[in-house]
Amino acid sequence: MRDPYAVLGVAKSAGEKDIKSAFRKLAKKYHPDQNKGDPRAQEKFAEVNAAYEIVGDKEKRAQFDRGEIDAEGKPRFSSFEGFGGGPNPYGGGSPFEGFEFRTSRTSSPFGHGASGGAADMGGAEDLLKEFFGSAFGGSGFGGQRGGAQAGPNPGFRAKSGPQQGADIKLTAKVSVEDRARCKASVKMPDGRQLSFSIPPEASDGQIVRLTGQGTKQPGRKPGDALITLQFQQHAVFVPEGSNLRLNLKVPLETAIRGGKMPVETLDGKVSLNIPAWTDSGAVFRLKGKGLPSKKGSNGDLLVTTMIVLPKENREALERFAGGTSTNAD
């Protein structure tokens, strides 16, 4: 993947607010619902989410800026410096990627110790011959170079470790109730239902990485599962960040005289006191009845009143209003 800062179109010095704003703008632009049947938009959407997963996370962003992880969030392998950092014809960023030099007090990285004697390259000789052939003295590091004869060096070792399997990409439908408990589930390719955590105030289209839940191959570490969150609409609640909104139908009589009305919440119904002479469009705040926030507390439930006129006693209401209504033929 390209540099995540370039993907989001922000500078490396950009603040969290600017990064979040850029992500939301691009996620909305390339969201699959807005670009149905456009594979290029889907690719851009996935790329934007992957970039935000790196620079939108404080810890991962710091690791990326320090060069500890790559643009996909995977650890970078340390490489040997001192050969100009040029491209490696064998596929790595450096010809020594995957090797580790260790030196003692009396030896340099090339084995020239305090005694000024042998080139101390050791057991990696055969591997280096395979990589470089006669690039060093006509016979790899095993030949003579400047009068120095190759000798054993236990401090130069090739790193070994299993490669990682391929990542898999999935989409999880997430309800408001799922967001309230910060848990969702997704069906894996092998048929099992996997439960995973959702971060508070997650956004629609955000990608959650499940480490080790990707492709499993013999002799390799499992890959990761990249889960795209797809938020579902609710019949009652409309999320706004960590807050929820709903419209409450209030009979005219209750709006005039006052009274109590049942209100649906994620925890069950509660009783809301409606003062006398409440207008339509009045908003009541039920604290802590919203969704989890990044601060560790819950948002609020905002209840908007909608006054409902009675179907009966229409004539009495018209007299009360001071006249009769006229209907066009």
Side-chain angles (χ1 to χ4, degrees), residues 124-324:
E125 176 184 333
D126 291 339
L127 288 174
L128 292 174
K129 283 182 181 178
E130 181 181 344
F131 281 136
F132 303 107
S134 60
F136 296 87
S139 59
F141 281 92
Q144 291 187 350
R145 186 168 182 258
Q149 179 66 37
N153 178 14
F156 184 64
R157 305 184 308 175
K159 288 185 178 180
S160 61
Q163 295 180 335
Q164 186 169 335
D167 294 339
I168 58 175
K169 296 180 180 181
L170 301 168
T171 299
K173 294 182 178 181
V174 180
S175 67
V176 171
E177 288 80 5
D178 291 334
R179 296 166 64 182
R181 57 177 174 263
C182 292
K183 288 282 187 182
S185 63
V186 65
K187 188 174 183 180
M188 303 297 287
D190 58 8
R192 61 193 173 97
Q193 201 75 14
L194 180 65
S195 179
F196 63 95
S197 298
I198 302 174
E201 296 189 52
S203 56
D204 187 24
Q206 182 173 335
I207 293 179
V208 176
R209 181 184 292 272
L210 305 183
T211 305
Q213 296 296 333
T215 302
K216 296 177 174 62
Q217 294 176 299
R220 294 192 175 194
K221 291 166 52 179
D224 301 336
L226 305 179
I227 312 298
T228 300
L229 305 182
Q230 187 179 87
F231 288 172
Q232 304 296 293
Q233 291 185 345
H234 196 277
V236 177
F237 305 112
V238 178
E240 287 185 359
S242 62
N243 293 331
L244 292 174
R245 284 188 175 273
L246 68 77
N247 294 325
L248 179 66
K249 293 182 179 180
V250 179
L252 177 62
E253 182 179 357
T254 304
I256 294 174
R257 297 182 178 180
K260 294 186 180 294
M261 290 289 299
V263 176
E264 192 76 34
T265 75
L266 290 172
D267 301 323
K269 290 185 178 181
V270 298
S271 182
L272 176 65
N273 184 49
I274 304 295
W277 295 104
T278 293
D279 291 328
S280 187
V283 178
F284 295 88
R285 183 183 297 269
L286 300 182
K287 288 189 174 294
K289 296 297 183 181
L291 298 172
S293 70
K294 293 180 180 178
K295 298 178 181 179
S297 58
N298 275 27
D300 303 329
L301 175 61
L302 306 177
V303 182
T304 302
T305 58
M306 298 175 60
I307 308 303
V308 180
L309 297 177
K311 294 181 180 180
E312 62 276 3
N313 298 325
R314 176 174 175 176
E315 293 181 357
L317 288 173
E318 289 175 347
R319 288 195 301 271
F320 174 78
T324 58

Side-chain angles (χ1 to χ4, degrees), residues 112-126:
H112 299 287
S115 61
D120 197 10
M121 301 309 293
E125 176 184 333
D126 291 339

Side-chain angles (χ1 to χ4, degrees), residues 60-77:
K60 289 183 179 180
R61 181 182 181 183
Q63 290 177 324
F64 177 79
D65 290 345
R66 292 194 298 265
E68 296 173 3
I69 61 175
D70 61 18
E72 295 182 355
K74 296 179 180 179
R76 293 183 185 273
F77 293 102

